[in-house]
Amino acid sequence: MAPTDLATGHVGLNVTDLARSRAFYTRVFGFEVLGEGSEEGRGFAFLGRAGRLVLTLWQQARGPFDRTASGLHHLSFEVGTLEEVRAAERELRELSVEFAHDGVVPHGEGASSGGIFFHDPDGIRLEIYAPAGAEALPAPAGDAPACGFF
């Protein structure tokens, strides 16, 4: 029997440098550190908002994100407005973050939802999007999902 009330809980990411990743995610997403551990070989950080756990960083990766390996494709965060997406874009540009597309793009040709697609310090693919407001913008890949192939 399938659960009747199912929602995504938190997401855990393996990172190579916990301090660097913690600084990135708290600055870009405004996460607060809810808890952390620094025992040798067991570094982690629980990040969230308003006391709710959203993201856990585990320092146990030995190399950067491998987009050709099975597992996580990308991690997406929804915000309320396209203006919030643009504010995040400005912050990311100050950090010289690598973007997959040039600025805010719709999810596909004619889609009203859209956002920015970029990489964290370990190359993990990330997205910040708004559910509406991007319909007039040019799609980077025509009918193909903008979030699918970056």
Side-chain angles (χ1 to χ4, degrees), residues 1 15 36-37 114 122:
M1 183 168 153
V15 300
E36 58 188 319
D122 282 306

Side-chain angles (χ1 to χ4, degrees), residues 49-121:
R49 294 181 118 186
R52 182 179 160 267
L53 180 62
V54 176
L55 188 66
T56 303
L57 304 175
W58 304 99
Q59 185 165 332
Q60 53 189 19
R62 293 190 179 130
F65 179 75
D66 180 357
R67 68 183 202 97
T68 65
S70 61
L72 179 73
H73 180 274
H74 75 284
L75 180 56
S76 176
F77 294 93
E78 181 181 327
V79 297
T81 66
L82 217 53
E83 289 73 30
E84 290 176 275
V85 175
R86 283 185 165 65
E89 178 187 9
R90 287 189 296 274
E91 184 75 21
L92 291 162
R93 292 204 185 279
E94 285 182 19
L95 294 170
S96 299
V97 167
E98 175 191 346
F99 284 82
H101 307 296
D102 187 27
V104 179
V105 297
H107 279 122
E109 195 68 44
S112 62
S113 63
I116 52 175
F117 303 88
F118 57 99
H119 300 86
D120 85 347

